[in-house]
Amino acid sequence: MEQIEQTLYEPAIQLIQTRYPTGWGGAAAVRTASGKILTSIAPDIKNDALSLCMEVGAYLEAHKLNEAVTHSLCLCREDENSAFLVLSPCGICQERLVHWGGDVQAAITTQGNDLVFKTIRELMPHHWSLVNGKSL
């Protein structure tokens, strides 16, 4: 793993193991332009319609700190004995990352569960902003 990838992967795993010692677990880690690593989880709620993705807390923290997100990673596991799986950002989270531009890198799901990052521009080559004469 490259250095930036490793700096995201380890804190996400540590948060999962701490917050969810048994059973399912998931967490996100993002890196900001200054090198800060911010982590978050999805809130436990009773009504699924109110749920949020794992990375939203870290994105909000970056906004609070007025720092640009450069990398985003989400991991989950089925239980404490399962492998950690990389989750690509959903479409809504991709739109959230657009705020920081098309060069933001997000970890994506792969067949081999490799740690691969793609830019938002690569994930959204036909983004709606093209109608405004702009591209990511």
Side-chain angles (χ1 to χ4, degrees):
M1 272 186 249
E2 293 181 25
Q3 186 63 25
I4 289 175
E5 295 166 345
Q6 187 69 36
T7 63
L8 290 173
Y9 195 79
E10 295 302 326
I13 288 176
Q14 185 176 28
L15 179 54
I16 292 169
Q17 291 172 333
T18 301
R19 178 65 174 80
Y20 306 101
T22 60
W24 181 92
V30 303
R31 182 179 185 271
T32 67
S34 73
K36 285 186 177 81
I37 303 299
L38 309 172
T39 60
S40 59
I41 60 166
D44 294 328
I45 56 166
K46 304 241 186 271
N47 182 342
D48 283 342
L50 302 174
S51 67
L52 292 170
C53 298
M54 291 181 271
E55 58 266 59
V56 172
Y59 295 166
L60 293 172
E61 185 73 11
H63 279 289
K64 182 180 90 176
L65 296 171
N66 198 27
E67 293 206 25
V69 169
T70 62
H71 294 76
S72 183
L73 166 76
C74 283
L75 296 176
C76 74
R77 60 147 204 244
E78 288 298 317
D79 61 45
E80 65 276 14
N81 299 311
S82 299
F84 291 97
L85 303 173
V86 177
L87 300 175
S88 295
C90 72
I92 294 170
C93 284
Q94 288 180 40
E95 284 289 345
R96 290 176 176 132
L97 289 170
V98 165
H99 173 75
W100 293 290
D103 292 328
V104 175
Q105 303 233 0
I108 60 163
T109 304
T110 65
Q111 286 288 354
N113 198 37
D114 301 311
L115 191 54
V116 175
F117 282 76
K118 298 282 184 178
T119 66
I120 292 301
R121 186 176 295 108
E122 291 174 294
L123 296 177
M124 303 175 77
H126 306 286
H127 189 262
W128 60 265
S129 62
L130 291 171
V131 301
N132 298 324
K134 301 175 187 174
S135 66
L136 298 176

